[in-house]
Amino acid sequence: MASGNAIRGSRVGAGPMGEAERGDSAPRLRISFWCSNGHETQPSFASDAQIPETWDCPRCGFPAGKDEENPPDPPRTEPYKTHLAYVRERRSDEDGEAILAEALAKLRGEI
Ligand SMILES: [Zn+2]
């Protein structure tokens, strides 16, 4: 390796090796995000872009954050429970059973 440098002795004054060429006018940053499932994703951003706090994990769709130790909580969407609780508040048990029977009938394909 040293002999290679000796042969190409004309480049005195060139930067230390490893200095990348700067032809790219828009350098990009790769930022790592981790979701709560431990998936790492590395979207790249323009160096002047705003880096978002969270990024959607491309593998599971959970939000991913920049702190590997502390990924954001997965979204808790349980609309059914909430809806059922809401219905229960408004209706008597009898109505609730009728709704349940109807739902079961739908499941069986009777309606
Ligand atoms: Zn994930």
Side-chain angles (χ1 to χ4, degrees), residues 35-39 57-62:
C35 77
S36 58
N37 283 329
H39 300 143
C57 173
R59 290 209 246 167
C60 66
F62 284 7

Side-chain angles (χ1 to χ4, degrees), residues 36-98:
S36 58
N37 283 329
H39 300 143
E40 181 182 3
T41 182
Q42 289 188 315
S44 63
F45 299 91
S47 59
D48 58 350
Q50 282 247 335
I51 310 299
E53 282 301 305
T54 60
W55 190 260
D56 284 344
C57 173
R59 290 209 246 167
C60 66
F62 284 7
K66 284 175 281 185
D67 185 354
E68 184 177 9
E69 305 292 320
N70 224 340
D73 286 332
R76 290 190 196 181
T77 45
E78 293 175 282
Y80 252 94
K81 263 188 189 168
T82 318
H83 180 66
L84 189 58
Y86 180 64
V87 168
R88 282 217 172 115
E89 272 176 23
R90 290 177 47 206
R91 295 174 184 268
S92 69
D93 284 350
E94 217 171 287
D95 281 345
E97 273 177 28

